[in-house]
Amino acid sequence: MYVELKDINKTFGDYKASDHVSFGIEKGKLIGLLGPSGSGKSMVLKCIAGIMTPDAGRIVLDDEVLFDSDLKINISPQKRKIGYMFQNYALFDHMNVYQNIAAPLKAHHEDKQVIKEKVQQIMEDFQIDDLQKRYPRQLSGGQKQRVALARLLVYDTKLVLLDEPFSALDETLKEQLLNETKKKLVEYQKKCLFVTHSSKEIEMMCGNKLKIKRGRLEK
Ligand code: ADP
Ligand code: MG
């Protein structure tokens, strides 16, 4: 099993946002998590990324224990080698496209020349090298999406988490970018957990899906 969640619980007061969430993702799989708004999808991703700490449970990624409440293990988000994309892409406004894509490599203290080569290569691959001096406010929704995905894939992450990244886009662009994203994830051989409230998006993106409702996975 590549990613495994075991009995993840998270409560706010007496509300169970995650209620014994358990599942596994096998190697090389693109998995969809489908559920209505407020069902606990983002909670699952935040627990995997380490932005949110579960009350109890165990999370394992590629044989490394990221979180275990019994063993008191809780690896910091920076050390988890996980890429996380939100709906609003979260590009850095004060950085241009080049700097945005270089940011994760810089944060991990990669060699300057290596950074230059990797960023150049991925910008060409994503056909965004002519945008490299632009700032996020000077980009269209689709261009922002491409830059965010390039930034996610430029660094050696073990798992990509996509949290409703297409929800704000119009239908035509959504379909185009979804297909592009899927292609790139396969090309870069990334394991991915894709979250959405739209069953249509799930169908287009993944063969495999889990369903979540009120913090519980449906059997
Ligand atoms: P989804 O992503 O499926 O729309 P979330 O995972 O964001 O849902 O949230 C699941 C539930 O947990 C929601 O009912 C939400 O209101 C609740 N919740 C999330 N974060 C908090 C918080 N910090 N405090 C209290 N309740 C929260
Ligand atoms: Mg959400």
Side-chain angles (χ1 to χ4, degrees):
M1 210 59 84
Y2 191 77
V3 185
E4 194 159 20
L5 272 73
K6 184 100 181 52
D7 280 335
I8 294 297
N9 285 330
K10 181 77 186 177
T11 53
F12 295 103
D14 56 5
Y15 183 79
K16 290 180 178 165
S18 295
D19 187 4
H20 293 88
V21 173
S22 300
F23 63 84
I25 301 176
E26 284 167 36
K27 260 196 159 53
K29 289 263 172 75
L30 187 60
I31 300 283
L33 178 62
L34 176 69
S37 176
S39 59
K41 304 181 295 298
S42 297
M43 197 60 61
V44 169
L45 296 193
K46 285 176 187 166
C47 287
I48 298 175
I51 303 165
M52 183 74 80
T53 306
D55 300 329
R58 178 177 163 92
I59 300 170
V60 182
L61 173 62
D62 199 16
D63 295 332
E64 187 190 6
V65 179
L66 299 182
F67 178 80
D68 191 310
S69 50
D70 291 339
L71 301 175
K72 306 219 178 321
I73 295 173
N74 191 10
I75 307 288
S76 74
Q78 296 77 19
K79 294 199 177 134
R80 291 195 180 195
K81 288 205 162 189
I82 284 172
Y84 193 170
M85 185 148 90
F86 304 92
Q87 185 181 325
N88 61 6
Y89 320 128
L91 292 178
F92 304 120
D93 289 333
H94 60 291
M95 292 184 190
N96 65 27
V97 166
Y98 181 96
Q99 292 163 333
N100 260 284
I101 298 172
L105 299 169
K106 266 192 160 168
H108 288 89
H109 309 291
E110 290 252 18
D111 175 76
K112 257 191 171 167
Q113 190 57 32
V114 173
I115 294 180
K116 226 175 148 181
E117 283 164 18
K118 282 191 175 172
V119 175
Q120 192 56 43
Q121 162 87 52
I122 206 157
M123 284 193 310
E124 280 169 26
D125 189 22
F126 277 71
Q127 298 177 316
I128 49 175
D129 42 331
D130 53 335
L131 304 174
Q132 59 176 295
K133 297 239 164 66
R134 288 210 204 162
Y135 287 84
R137 63 175 183 280
Q138 300 166 316
L139 300 174
S140 72
Q143 289 167 333
K144 277 187 208 165
Q145 172 92 14
R146 250 174 237 131
V147 174
L149 188 63
R151 187 178 64 176
L152 210 60
L153 297 182
V154 77
Y155 180 64
D156 178 29
T157 49
K158 289 182 172 179
L159 178 69
V160 170
L161 305 173
L162 300 179
D163 197 347
E164 313 215 32
F166 309 112
S167 295
L169 305 170
D170 66 59
E171 285 303 313
T172 322
L173 191 57
K174 178 187 290 192
E175 208 165 316
Q176 189 193 331
L177 285 174
L178 192 147
N179 286 323
E180 249 184 70
T181 303
K182 185 176 169 176
K183 208 172 129 212
K184 289 288 185 225
L185 288 169
V186 172
E187 206 178 298
Y188 282 75
Q189 300 187 331
K190 292 292 179 190
K191 279 99 198 160
C192 173
L193 183 57
F194 170 69
V195 154
T196 180
H197 65 274
S198 154
S199 50
K200 191 181 158 211
E201 283 182 30
I202 288 271
E203 293 309 324
M204 293 200 299
M205 192 76 165
C206 327
N208 303 293
K209 68 166 180 262
L210 303 159
K211 283 188 182 172
I212 188 166
K213 207 172 168 181
R214 290 196 210 92
R216 283 194 85 96
L217 286 191
E218 291 184 349
K219 292 279 176 281

